[in-house]
Amino acid sequence: DAKTTQPTSMDCAEGRAANLPCNHSTISGNEYVYWYRQIHSQGPQYIIHGLKNNETNEMASLIITEDRKSSTLILPHATLRDTAVYYCIVRAAGGTSYGKLTFGQGTILTVHP
Amino acid sequence: DAGVIQSPRHEVTEMGQEVTLRCKPISGHNSLFWYRQTMMRGLELLIYFNNNVPIDDSGMPEDRFSAKMPNASFSTLKIQPSEPRDSAVYFCATSQWDYGYTFGSGTRLTVV
């Protein structure tokens, strides 16, 4: 699986946009980028995923660079409840690893009042 | 939709005892994953099933761990005998084809 690199921690003011970067320079052409978050003591929660194009849903936007070597998760108006660990994951493309998600250490996002 | 249901939520057991964790996937989801989370090692994939068949168990730490999925609506993760280092939160997650995973609330296991 392609390895991802994320900052260990980030801060954001409530109401402002939170931009979480992720590097995945060894990503293969048919591998997806997934984002999950984990709020304290809960199971990880799916946020968004994409292949090449930018994606948006009710939770967030995902911006993937043209060369696909990095991406940014954007929470447009962060709230205190967005404080969590955010995981950027590249999903295995096929073979016995198809569908398998390997979690790294993630980014601890702290939203301040 | 009740989501992925795990039981028990908390389990405290003595070293050497058998522990069985249970998971009921979301109806229609064809893949099921067992993860373990600790402070030191983060989230580790233990094993996953596609259409009830184990596909990759390379993350199972040792022979004391076993997992089964006898049908599409039930899976178990068993530890026998349990050891203090098995203390962790165990998550079950399910998915349908290429869509995102849905995780259960986890089972917090403490082995004393």
Side-chain angles (χ1 to χ4, degrees):
Chain A
D1 297 349
K3 182 179 173 61
T4 62
T5 304
Q6 299 178 253
T8 302
S9 63
M10 294 182 64
D11 290 336
C12 178
E14 189 177 20
R16 305 299 293 268
N19 298 283
L20 291 89
C22 179
N23 286 318
H24 31 79
S25 58
T26 60
I27 192 170
S28 299
N30 58 352
E31 289 182 313
Y32 284 79
V33 178
Y34 278 75
W35 283 84
Y36 282 76
R37 72 179 183 184
Q38 186 173 25
I39 297 170
H40 181 62
S41 298
Q42 298 180 20
Q45 176 190 25
Y46 166 80
I47 301 173
I48 199 168
H49 74 283
L51 182 63
K52 294 180 182 178
N53 300 321
N54 298 336
E55 303 287 345
T56 296
N57 62 21
E58 64 279 4
M59 291 183 67
S61 295
L62 174 61
I63 308 298
I64 302 174
T65 58
E66 192 169 344
D67 63 8
R68 303 209 326 122
K69 293 185 177 181
S70 66
S71 60
T72 301
L73 178 74
I74 301 172
L75 308 178
H77 306 286
T79 71
L80 299 178
R81 287 178 291 184
D82 292 323
T83 293
V85 179
Y86 286 77
Y87 297 98
C88 169
I89 305 160
V90 173
R91 196 198 75 189
T96 58
S97 295
Y98 182 73
K100 176 177 167 180
L101 290 179
T102 302
F103 287 78
Q105 295 304 308
T107 296
I108 301 171
L109 175 68
T110 304
V111 181
H112 297 286
Chain B
D1 185 355
V4 177
I5 300 173
Q6 291 187 246
S7 63
R9 289 297 307 275
H10 302 275
E11 176 82 28
V12 180
T13 190
E14 291 185 349
M15 181 174 63
Q17 297 298 305
E18 177 179 296
V19 175
T20 299
L21 311 181
R22 297 173 176 79
C23 176
K24 178 178 170 56
I26 293 172
S27 178
H29 281 197
N30 65 315
S31 297
L32 183 142
F33 307 80
W34 282 101
Y35 282 84
R36 175 173 69 176
Q37 186 170 33
T38 61
M39 287 293 293
M40 291 295 294
R41 300 174 69 89
L43 270 163
E44 302 174 277
L45 177 63
L46 301 177
I47 185 172
Y48 79 97
F49 297 83
N50 274 347
N51 296 318
N52 312 337
V53 176
I55 301 300
D56 184 352
D57 65 354
S58 59
M60 296 285 262
E62 48 197 273
D63 292 344
R64 297 185 297 105
F65 285 69
S66 63
K68 294 182 179 179
M69 192 164 185
N71 56 61
S73 59
F74 185 65
S75 176
T76 59
L77 177 68
K78 186 176 294 186
I79 308 172
Q80 167 62 21
S82 57
E83 296 182 3
R85 60 193 168 122
D86 301 330
S87 297
V89 181
Y90 291 80
F91 288 105
C92 174
T94 70
S95 72
Q96 185 179 27
W97 300 115
D98 288 351
Y99 299 116
Y101 291 12
T102 300
F103 280 78
S105 299
T107 295
R108 182 173 296 277
L109 173 65
T110 304
V111 183
V112 298

